[in-house]
Amino acid sequence: MARVELRALAKSFGAVPVLSGIDLDIADGEFLTLIGPSGCGKSTLIRMIAGLEPQTSGSISIGGVSIDHLRPHERRVAMVFQSYALYPHMSVFSNIALPLTMQRLSLWERLPLIKLLSSRRRRVMPEIAREVRAIAEQLQIEHLLDRRPARLSGGQRQRVALGRAMVRHPDVFLMDEPLSNLDAKLRVHMRTELAELHQRLKTTFIYVTHDQVEAMTMSDRVAMMDAGRILQLGTPTELYERPINIKVASFIGSPAINLLKAKVGHDGYIELMDRRLTLQTPLEPGADVTLGIRPEAMFPASSEEIRTGRASLPASLRRKENLGSEFILHFDVAGPASVVARVPAGPVVQAVNGSVELSFDVAACHIFNEQGERIEPNPLDSCELSRPRTLVASGGGV
Amino acid sequence: MSTQPLPPSAVQTSPGLARTRHILGLVVTHGLLLTGAAFILLPFVWMLATSIKPPDEVFTATFSLWPKRFYGVENYSYALTAAPLLRFALNGAILCGGILIIQLLVAIPCAYALAKLRFPGRDVLFVLVLLGLAVPVQVPALPLYIGLANLGLLNTYFSMMVPFFLSVFAIFLLRQFFKSFPDDIIHAARLDGMSEFEIVWRVVTPSAWPAIAAFSVFSIVAHWNDLYWPLIVITDASLAPPPLGMMFFANAETGSNYGALTAAATILTAPLVITFLFARRQFIQGITMTGVK
């Protein structure tokens, strides 16, 4: 069992804290992604799990056994690096075989010339070769085994690096931005392959990325990190639908969430650009809040289309981006601010021009207070929801 | 953008003008380089010319590179028979080879540690290495001589080599090279179970060939041509490296037979030139990659 537990893990370089108080339980066979902006400490964390960086305090255990005192190769983890980190002067075969020769041959049996004297080596090497070929076959790189890494494409190098990690049958795979150096098309392809590989191997994966699409598409759970802390840990859906603060909300999702300044009115309802929304918060009247609205929750509409439970703001179209199946619409709104809407392609979008009312579902709004933390709106009783907008606007407060 | 618009005539003539300027620039730079090269090559050419001249032509007032009477065979055969030139060359090879091997064995792990390992005092050590570059070889000569004399090691190959086993220059040059070696590959090697020594010799060193070739040329040239230290510790002519051998040869046998003397010098310089020609590409690559110019 390869359950990974991190307890109060901290790291500082001199007086500069890089990571502080990381507590994380990763289940056996789970695909956990560490995501965050560059410099948030996610790579340092994965290197600490690998044993390449010593932690300042705290402990790491795999399968219930503490591995703090173990050297990297004793930890039964394998790592795939962003730069692939293949041995440049060795063939693909030697690159993949190296972890096995290191495990199974003694120092004497690895020395140049002297190794030729060992009869055990002559027995062990064919075994290793068989395993390397089996892995190469899985990754479809058998025809590359004799080449040097310099003569491989990015995607091929990536596979070799994966092969070198897989050949050891580790308890935990650590992946440090493995797809970042690939071109866009190959990245999408390798994303699927990695996810399938995880399903097949059923091994624990800890995956570092700054790309939220990778995090959303592959992971069982995502840990969003910033400034050396885990901001939020949850399933991709949880992070997307209930971001704990503005940082998480704006990092997850593409195009990024729309953030609009709003105020709490005297009756506790939120007022956005002098329009009252059917959103009530426990915050003091007059408090500043930020409303987060996902681009796909926005829809340009003529005013009669605005139904109950939806609100709207006046906006003027700045630019349309045609993505084929959908459009990304950029609007200017009062504030001044800009708002992005993601709308399926269709006659409605084609017609959008100039000034429109931008309709959005009030229930899909995320409310953040002045500190940027998520605030849950007060539950509205159903009759209030069903009341027409005009009535709500004239109605009393709490 | 902010430049004044050119008059139409200037716009029309500019391509031709640009080409003449380009050619002029090439002529000037190449002229300067050729002059420099001529100055550096002249003594060498003079040596070659003198080595094929008969004695009476060496000091003639007229300037000529090619002798009226070809005397090369006599000069070279005299040089080869009158002095154990091949013995000197062999001594030089043993000396340079021994020094180079030990220098690399010592400097590569040192440079790796200074470039890639984190340990307290590393920066102080590196400053000490840099200070070591500033100490001329003559400074520790006397204590070294006394030490070797007391150990009874004078007049041995070992005494000629030992002061140079630790090359701060090699440590410095290789450290600069190793600095640019990707950390991730070293991390991968650690995860795969390699010890630091194996990382040094199996992973890092094979990628450092250009730097090693560059350093080898520096080292071999310096020690092949070194007269100072062998002159101090060697009195036995059979152990003499090329320059010391030349000195013995000049004193004893030839007197003022400059033709034979330059023939001997040519024979003893040739291995160096050949070595450089072979290692030239790696040498230049190593120099440009490590930033030592």
Side-chain angles (χ1 to χ4, degrees):
Chain A
M1 294 298 276
R3 182 185 157 81
V4 181
E5 290 163 295
L6 312 180
R7 288 283 169 269
L9 210 55
K11 171 81 185 172
S12 48
F13 289 117
V16 188
V18 184
L19 286 171
S20 43
I22 303 283
D23 279 295
L24 199 56
D25 281 320
I26 303 157
D28 183 35
E30 185 175 6
F31 195 125
L32 181 110
T33 300
L34 301 169
I35 190 172
S38 44
C40 72
K42 55 191 193 299
S43 283
T44 310
L45 181 57
I46 206 173
R47 284 180 153 74
M48 274 160 59
I49 299 172
L52 298 169
E53 293 269 3
Q55 64 253 40
T56 312
S57 63
S59 71
I60 305 169
S61 62
I62 294 179
V65 183
S66 166
I67 56 162
D68 297 324
H69 59 286
L70 294 181
R71 307 199 19 220
H73 67 276
E74 297 164 333
R75 297 188 172 202
R76 298 193 46 80
V77 300
M79 190 153 169
V80 178
F81 296 85
Q82 178 180 358
S83 58
Y84 318 129
L86 302 176
Y87 306 117
H89 58 282
M90 293 184 195
S91 68
V92 168
F93 178 89
S94 314
N95 263 284
I96 300 178
L98 193 105
L100 296 183
T101 53
M102 293 307 299
Q103 269 174 15
R104 298 182 192 172
L105 296 177
S106 69
L107 180 61
W108 298 113
E109 289 159 349
R110 297 196 303 264
L111 280 182
L113 296 178
I114 296 173
K115 68 184 179 188
L116 300 176
L117 301 173
S118 158
S119 60
R120 205 176 78 87
R121 183 190 160 88
R122 281 196 289 275
R123 267 200 327 276
V124 174
M125 279 316 279
E127 259 172 55
I128 292 179
R130 223 176 5 256
E131 285 175 50
V132 170
R133 271 176 220 292
I135 293 283
E137 210 171 301
Q138 274 189 50
L139 294 166
Q140 294 160 6
I141 47 172
E142 313 103 294
H143 58 293
L144 305 172
L145 284 175
D146 297 327
R147 289 209 201 156
R148 293 278 172 103
R151 291 192 46 228
L152 301 179
S153 71
Q156 290 169 334
R157 284 180 211 189
Q158 180 62 66
R159 283 160 200 265
V160 177
L162 269 175
R164 189 176 61 182
M166 283 162 64
V167 79
R168 303 167 57 186
H169 302 291
D171 289 341
V172 181
F173 277 98
L174 305 172
M175 308 215 167
D176 190 3
E177 310 213 10
L179 306 184
S180 300
N181 283 3
L182 300 179
D183 61 61
K185 205 174 160 190
L186 201 55
R187 201 179 307 162
V188 175
H189 176 75
M190 286 305 287
R191 215 160 66 199
T192 322
E193 272 198 23
L194 272 181
E196 282 170 5
L197 183 73
H198 173 247
Q199 276 174 3
R200 206 166 63 231
L201 297 176
K202 297 188 172 58
T203 312
T204 313
F205 273 50
I206 303 177
Y207 188 98
V208 164
T209 183
H210 63 262
D211 180 356
Q212 53 95 21
V213 182
E214 285 174 24
M216 297 290 288
T217 49
M218 298 194 285
S219 331
D220 295 324
R221 281 195 304 163
V222 179
M224 162 89 197
M225 294 181 66
D226 189 56
R229 290 178 180 282
I230 295 179
L231 294 182
Q232 190 172 1
L233 172 69
T235 63
T237 318
E238 276 167 11
L239 259 75
Y240 191 76
E241 291 180 354
R242 294 176 56 80
I244 203 166
N245 61 25
I246 286 191
K247 276 183 180 157
V248 179
S250 50
F251 200 87
I252 308 280
S254 170
I257 194 167
N258 295 300
L259 295 171
L260 296 166
K261 292 276 167 231
K263 251 188 163 32
V264 179
H266 62 90
D267 51 5
Y269 283 88
I270 286 173
E271 289 171 1
L272 174 66
M273 294 167 196
D274 300 328
R275 293 188 184 193
R276 200 158 163 283
L277 307 181
T278 49
L279 266 182
Q280 205 183 29
T281 68
L283 293 173
E284 290 292 305
D288 286 316
V289 293
T290 305
L291 279 187
I293 311 168
R294 295 278 178 203
E296 62 273 18
M298 294 270 196
F299 196 81
S302 50
S303 48
E304 64 264 24
E305 277 177 312
I306 296 164
R307 297 180 307 275
T308 325
R310 292 186 78 88
S312 71
L313 36 127
S316 65
L317 182 74
R318 197 171 72 234
R319 201 154 56 86
K320 270 189 212 179
E321 285 174 353
N322 185 354
L323 302 185
S325 63
E326 57 185 17
F327 279 72
I328 307 288
L329 305 176
H330 298 258
F331 294 97
D332 285 321
V333 295
S338 84
V339 166
V340 177
R342 193 158 109 192
V343 186
V348 182
V349 191
Q350 302 287 356
V352 172
N353 216 339
S355 296
V356 289
E357 283 287 309
L358 209 47
S359 148
F360 58 91
D361 186 355
V362 173
C365 286
H366 305 276
I367 311 167
F368 303 103
N369 67 11
E370 276 175 272
Q371 286 75 45
E373 292 155 357
R374 181 184 186 86
I375 301 293
E376 292 299 330
N378 294 348
L380 294 169
D381 50 62
S382 54
C383 67
E384 204 163 358
L385 262 176
S386 61
R387 252 186 274 171
R389 233 169 70 85
T390 47
L391 268 181
V392 175
S394 62
V398 191
Chain B
M1 283 157 256
S2 63
T3 48
Q4 297 289 315
L6 290 165
S9 62
V11 175
Q12 269 167 14
T13 55
S14 63
L17 199 74
R19 200 184 312 139
T20 35
R21 278 175 110 182
H22 179 66
I23 291 170
L24 205 70
L26 281 181
V27 168
V28 169
T29 43
H30 279 78
L32 282 173
L33 287 174
L34 282 172
T35 320
F39 267 99
I40 291 165
L41 279 177
L42 199 64
F44 197 72
V45 173
W46 202 249
M47 177 182 83
L48 283 176
T50 312
S51 74
I52 51 170
K53 280 180 185 173
D56 53 317
E57 269 187 62
V58 172
F59 289 110
T60 48
T62 51
F63 177 87
S64 76
L65 275 183
W66 196 255
K68 293 189 193 73
R69 193 153 58 91
F70 185 79
Y71 205 65
V73 180
E74 290 85 340
N75 279 339
Y76 279 88
S77 57
Y78 180 71
L80 280 171
T81 48
L85 280 191
L86 295 179
R87 175 81 215 176
F88 297 155
L90 178 71
N91 290 340
I94 292 171
L95 177 70
C96 290
I99 289 176
L100 183 63
I101 287 167
I102 308 264
Q103 275 177 336
L104 290 175
L105 284 177
V106 175
I108 288 174
C110 286
Y112 171 77
L114 286 173
K116 289 294 181 191
L117 301 183
R118 268 180 291 172
F119 54 92
R122 181 182 75 167
D123 295 337
V124 178
L125 274 178
F126 184 60
V127 170
L128 286 177
V129 168
L130 289 181
L131 282 179
L133 280 173
V135 178
V137 60
Q138 288 81 1
V139 172
L142 197 58
L144 275 170
Y145 178 79
I146 295 168
L148 287 168
N150 285 338
L151 291 170
L153 288 170
L154 291 178
N155 258 326
T156 57
Y157 284 124
F158 181 78
S159 65
M160 269 193 288
M161 295 179 192
V162 70
F164 309 106
F165 281 164
L166 201 155
S167 164
V168 279
F169 178 63
I171 296 175
F172 175 71
L173 185 95
L174 290 168
R175 175 194 175 265
Q176 300 308 98
F177 196 87
F178 290 165
K179 268 260 163 208
S180 64
F181 191 83
D183 282 333
D184 278 353
I185 298 181
I186 294 171
H187 286 157
R190 281 187 196 144
L191 274 163
D192 285 345
M194 287 201 195
S195 67
E196 294 300 312
F197 264 99
E198 273 180 290
I199 293 176
V200 169
W201 296 111
R202 288 187 63 190
V203 176
V204 180
T205 307
S207 75
W209 277 119
I212 291 170
F215 171 71
S216 303
V217 170
F218 278 124
S219 170
I220 291 170
V221 168
H223 298 296
W224 184 275
N225 289 336
D226 187 25
L227 175 63
Y228 174 77
W229 186 249
L231 186 60
I232 292 175
V233 291
I234 297 295
T235 46
D236 181 354
S238 68
L239 290 176
L244 190 63
M246 281 292 296
M247 226 180 72
F248 290 145
F249 178 53
N251 284 350
E253 315 286 340
T254 53
S256 58
N257 186 351
Y258 284 96
L261 211 53
T262 47
T266 307
I267 293 168
L268 292 176
T269 325
L272 270 195
V273 176
I274 292 164
T275 312
F276 179 75
L277 285 180
F278 272 108
R280 188 177 50 126
R281 251 181 72 196
Q282 278 85 350
F283 179 68
I284 289 163
Q285 206 185 350
I287 294 295
T288 47
M289 276 164 87
T290 47
V292 180
K293 280 176 193 147

